[in-house]
Amino acid sequence: MSGSSKDEGAGVSPQNKGSWSSFLKSIASFNGDLSSMTAPPFILGTLSLTEFSAYWTQHPAVFVAPAAEKDPAKRALLVLKWFLSTLKPSYSTRNDKYGSEKKPLNPFLGELFLGKWEDEAGTTELVSEQLEGYNGQKASFSRTIHIKQIGHALLTLSAHNDETYLITLPNIHIEGLIYGKPFVELNGCTYISSSSGFTSKIDYSGKGWVSGKKNSFTATMYPTGKEKDVLYSVEGQWPEAFTIREGGGKHGTVIDTFNARTQPITPLIVPALEQQDPWEANKAWEKVITAITKGDMDTTNAEKSKLENAQRELRRKEQAEGREWQRRFFSRSQGAEDWWEKLARAGCAGERIEAEKTGGIWRFDKEKAASARRPFHEGATPF
């Protein structure tokens, strides 16, 4: 990273430079659970991490398109296109809005974020529930925060005999910290392995060695186990645009494009605050969000600590009473190793399930969801 000492903290207001310097010193040797990292209030965002799930479906028509495709190879391609379309909202939306990345609020166990999208694709519902106190991200620091996301996503197409796609998650590094203007870069590679026999491999680079552009990526899709037999290839910049071609290389026929900057976003519909349950993210964090918006850092810190301390007390009480928190929409999956053996080991080189780091393997429980009603935890609040 280039630059002089006089540029350090250039993106931080004068009144916050002291706490920013202290923060940088505190993370100089940090290596652990990202949720345990305490950031100065002025770099906090107004979104909880449970709300980030919404970024996966800001384009509902793109999300549901695979279900309508009859050809299995083209379905797998549409799943790849959808996943790539989620990268900009997932990893650069805050930078676009605020001019730099903001640290999300650490979700508490049992936190919920519920909503729906309505457009030409129909109604698409969102259910996000924090299942563990640990947020699935491990970080280390060396002028850049390096984050390893732990976990995976599983997409199931019920219209095609429960065809399943295992999706691994990219490694993240937060650049620009020294200057007080953090932003996200992705690196390494991720995979999408399907039960229909196709694998997509996505390679991320901070700056393309051919194009010289930041946020570059390339992707290929091939029959599982036959990486050289490329059916489709994709290249571009994940916060900008990408091009899909038949075959490998730059000379294949262009069959589709996607522009993340110009693609319309369907707004998420969430209940009004007065209709929300105390366990829903916007309601639970209401006072913190209000204080952040006003720039009232003292109240931000006080209200945030109030909620976090109450959660610690709830965990101590549960442990003393020998009981476990009851999830409302998800359950631990039994026999998870079976599908992991079929999908991950076939198409995702070097990936591990790491169930011990996420409190188990969790899946949406249709029976629980069918009976879930507000209030979700009768007589209990997060405080």
Side-chain angles (χ1 to χ4, degrees):
M1 185 179 294
S2 61
S4 63
S5 59
K6 69 178 181 180
D7 296 321
E8 296 186 7
V12 180
S13 61
Q15 65 267 32
N16 290 320
K17 283 194 174 182
S19 56
W20 180 252
S21 297
S22 297
F23 172 61
L24 291 179
K25 290 177 182 177
S26 73
I27 64 174
S29 59
F30 185 88
N31 189 348
D33 178 358
L34 189 61
S35 65
S36 67
M37 181 185 290
T38 302
F42 69 88
I43 69 164
L44 289 176
T46 55
L47 295 180
S48 168
L49 206 57
T50 55
E51 299 178 62
F52 280 40
S53 299
Y55 293 139
W56 286 54
T57 325
Q58 286 194 339
H59 312 296
V62 179
F63 174 61
V64 303
E69 175 56 57
K70 295 181 179 181
D71 182 85
K74 291 180 179 178
R75 277 200 303 275
L77 177 62
L78 287 171
V79 171
L80 172 60
K81 176 186 175 181
W82 158 70
F83 176 72
L84 294 173
S85 78
T86 71
L87 296 178
K88 174 183 165 27
S90 294
Y91 300 110
S92 74
T93 295
R94 279 80 52 202
N95 196 71
D96 289 347
K97 183 175 181 180
Y98 302 109
S100 66
E101 185 62 35
K102 295 292 184 179
K103 185 181 184 297
L105 298 167
N106 291 326
F108 54 85
L109 179 59
E111 183 177 318
L112 297 165
F113 186 61
L114 310 172
K116 63 181 180 180
W117 295 269
E118 293 180 344
D119 64 359
E120 70 276 9
T123 299
T124 305
E125 295 189 23
L126 170 68
V127 176
S128 181
E129 180 176 13
Q130 182 67 17
L131 304 172
E132 286 292 314
Y134 175 65
N135 68 18
Q137 294 181 325
K138 183 178 180 181
S140 59
F141 178 73
S142 59
R143 292 178 69 89
T144 295
I145 295 181
H146 301 272
I147 301 171
K148 182 184 185 305
Q149 298 195 89
I150 296 171
H152 59 273
L154 205 64
L155 175 69
T156 302
L157 301 181
S158 57
H160 297 283
N161 298 315
D162 288 342
E163 185 173 281
T164 304
Y165 295 79
L166 174 65
I167 304 168
T168 64
L169 305 175
N171 290 327
I172 302 170
H173 47 109
I174 310 296
E175 302 282 2
L177 282 168
I178 298 297
Y179 310 108
K181 298 194 70 173
F183 63 91
V184 170
E185 269 288 12
L186 306 179
N187 65 354
C189 68
T190 61
Y191 297 89
I192 304 175
S193 178
S194 75
S195 60
S196 58
F198 300 96
T199 296
S200 294
K201 180 182 179 182
I202 308 156
D203 288 288
Y204 310 89
S205 61
K207 193 170 186 179
W209 65 274
V210 175
S211 67
K213 298 177 180 178
K214 67 177 183 178
N215 307 127
S216 297
F217 77 89
T218 59
T220 55
M221 190 191 112
Y222 47 86
T224 299
K226 300 179 179 179
E227 189 169 347
K228 294 183 178 180
D229 298 339
V230 177
L231 301 175
Y232 301 101
S233 57
V234 192
E235 67 171 354
Q237 294 171 273
W238 53 264
E240 302 292 339
F242 57 81
T243 301
I244 303 174
R245 290 183 168 87
E246 285 185 335
K250 291 188 174 183
H251 303 296
T253 302
V254 175
I255 60 172
D256 201 0
T257 60
F258 184 88
N259 191 316
R261 292 286 181 189
T262 60
Q263 182 77 12
I265 292 175
T266 300
L268 177 66
I269 302 169
V270 297
L273 270 177
E274 58 269 19
Q275 297 174 337
Q276 290 187 25
D277 187 85
W279 294 89
E280 292 182 67
N282 292 166
K283 188 71 172 179
W285 292 104
E286 180 181 7
K287 292 182 180 180
V288 174
I289 293 169
T290 299
I292 292 173
T293 303
K294 291 180 177 179
D296 183 348
M297 296 302 104
D298 289 339
T299 301
T300 295
N301 190 53
E303 292 296 336
K304 182 171 173 287
S305 296
K306 180 181 177 182
L307 177 53
E308 291 169 344
N309 290 334
Q311 286 296 303
R312 293 186 187 100
E313 182 58 35
L314 283 173
R315 301 291 82 78
R316 283 192 287 267
K317 186 176 181 181
E318 288 168 357
Q319 187 174 19
E321 296 175 358
R323 57 187 176 87
E324 185 180 37
W325 178 257
Q326 296 302 304
R327 284 75 175 177
R328 282 294 172 258
F329 292 91
F330 292 79
S331 295
R332 285 190 180 89
S333 176
Q334 303 300 318
E337 293 288 353
D338 294 339
W339 56 259
W340 186 265
E341 180 77 27
K342 293 176 183 177
L343 295 179
R345 298 193 179 178
C348 306
E351 295 291 335
R352 293 179 56 243
I353 196 167
E354 299 186 289
E356 72 282 359
K357 296 181 180 179
T358 55
I361 304 301
W362 300 89
R363 293 290 170 260
F364 183 69
D365 190 319
K366 292 182 180 179
E367 291 185 7
K368 278 187 176 181
S371 61
R373 298 286 187 277
R374 294 180 178 88
F376 294 111
H377 299 279
E378 188 73 47
T381 76
F383 295 93

